Amino acid sequence: MEQLVSDEALATFVPIIVYWVYSGLYMAFSSSSDKYRLHSKKDEDMKNLVPMSNVVKGVLLQQALQASISLLSFWITSNTTITANSPQPPAQFLLVISMQFFVAMFVFDTWQYFMHRAMHHNRFLYKHLHSWHHRLVVPYAFGAQYNHPVDGLLIETLSGAVAFLVSGMSARTSIFFFTFATIKGIDDHCGLMLPWNPFHLLFGNNAAYHDVHHQLSGGKCNYAQPFFVMWDKVFGTYVPYSIEKRKDGGFEARPGKKD
């Protein structure tokens, strides 16, 4: 039976659909209670410098650019990908997929760390590009991909394209990788510390870690995103944090001293 929708189209548009569904669930949860929030709803309304309507428009624009780059990447690789004539044994197939995921995560993180750090250390780039993202002093879920279009292209979209090309994964595998990366990025910006969240167990990079970066005192630290914190530790930009309860409910991520 012929496939109705190509793997390339699914890899391009499934992460976008998942972005709005998953972030919408987080937004609904966070609006119903302050119990697990890292900032109160009052702080979110007072400290953020851009209205939610502008955030939605900005994310949609970035996703349009992201989809265009994605389809271009698939078009480029469609002429170079070699398909094996015989199927791989299940164990070998899983090993190959696992290695591709690991390579893609490493490349994704490496690109984003150095580009993200450059955006903060270069005054021109920060003022004209990356400061858009930091208008959200109090991050929330569907603001994860709110960026200046050029900033989003350089940090997020190109990191995904390079990770895809270097890892050698197929379009079908990339459906799962890009969806996973999208979910992780939303989780890092959700502003919630949920005790049952598996990402907090699997990764040192989580909502509290990235919240420290978004705080006004955190502009020169915790650049790593979205998976590992290795480059922050290697280059001395890692700042630990403690989680403390707020008097009015919820939690607070308090930065410590650099390692």
Side-chain angles (χ1 to χ4, degrees):
M1 183 177 178
E2 187 176 352
Q3 187 174 342
L4 296 178
V5 182
S6 69
D7 290 337
E8 291 80 3
L10 289 174
T12 300
F13 296 108
V14 166
I16 294 175
I17 295 170
V18 168
Y19 181 91
W20 292 106
V21 173
Y22 189 64
S23 64
L25 293 173
Y26 262 133
M27 295 299 291
F29 184 85
S30 64
S31 64
S32 64
S33 172
D34 279 349
K35 185 176 181 181
Y36 298 110
R37 291 178 65 110
L38 288 168
H39 299 270
S40 67
K41 186 65 171 67
K42 181 180 178 181
D43 278 350
E44 179 184 306
D45 295 336
M46 290 180 60
K47 293 182 179 180
N48 285 344
L49 306 176
V50 60
M52 285 190 176
S53 58
N54 285 18
V55 173
V56 172
K57 294 175 186 177
V59 172
L60 289 173
L61 175 58
Q62 176 169 320
Q63 290 176 337
L65 293 172
Q66 175 183 311
S68 300
I69 297 295
S70 173
L71 293 173
L72 177 61
S73 299
F74 288 130
W75 179 79
I76 293 172
T77 57
S78 66
N79 298 320
T80 59
T81 301
I82 301 175
T83 304
N85 294 323
S86 57
Q88 296 174 320
Q92 182 179 347
F93 175 76
L94 290 175
L95 179 60
V96 169
I97 297 298
S98 298
M99 289 299 297
Q100 289 173 339
F101 251 71
F102 177 79
V103 170
M105 291 167 73
F106 177 81
V107 172
F108 201 72
D109 266 24
T110 300
W111 182 286
Q112 292 209 10
Y113 174 83
F114 288 104
M115 287 301 303
H116 189 191
R117 181 175 175 174
M119 288 290 176
H120 277 272
H121 283 256
N122 184 293
R123 292 183 179 180
F124 178 86
L125 293 177
Y126 184 83
K127 179 180 179 180
H128 295 283
L129 300 179
H130 195 61
S131 61
W132 276 40
H133 184 67
H134 283 272
R135 292 173 182 175
L136 295 179
V137 179
V138 177
Y140 49 77
F142 70 71
Q145 292 182 6
Y146 174 67
N147 303 288
H148 185 285
V150 177
D151 183 24
L153 175 67
L154 293 175
I155 294 181
E156 297 196 12
T157 306
L158 288 184
S159 67
V162 173
F164 169 73
L165 294 171
V166 172
S167 68
M169 64 175 56
S170 67
R172 181 163 298 179
T173 300
S174 73
I175 299 171
F176 301 96
F177 175 74
F178 289 128
T179 299
F180 176 53
T182 296
I183 290 173
K184 184 63 173 63
I186 292 169
D187 188 86
D188 292 345
H189 289 83
C190 70
L192 298 169
M193 287 301 292
L194 302 175
W196 58 84
N197 190 327
F199 288 129
H200 295 168
L201 301 175
L202 295 174
F203 299 97
N205 201 332
N206 55 37
Y209 186 84
H210 197 65
D211 181 75
V212 169
H213 174 72
H214 271 261
Q215 293 179 27
L216 296 179
S217 60
K220 300 293 185 181
C221 69
N222 293 13
Y223 301 120
Q225 56 184 40
F227 300 113
F228 310 114
V229 299
M230 58 186 179
W231 293 124
D232 273 322
K233 290 190 173 184
V234 169
F235 290 99
T237 54
Y238 175 85
V239 168
Y241 60 87
S242 60
I243 299 294
E244 300 182 16
K245 289 187 176 182
R246 292 198 316 271
K247 293 180 180 179
D248 55 348
F251 298 100
E252 178 182 7
R254 291 195 175 183
K257 295 182 179 180
K258 283 188 178 183
D259 285 357

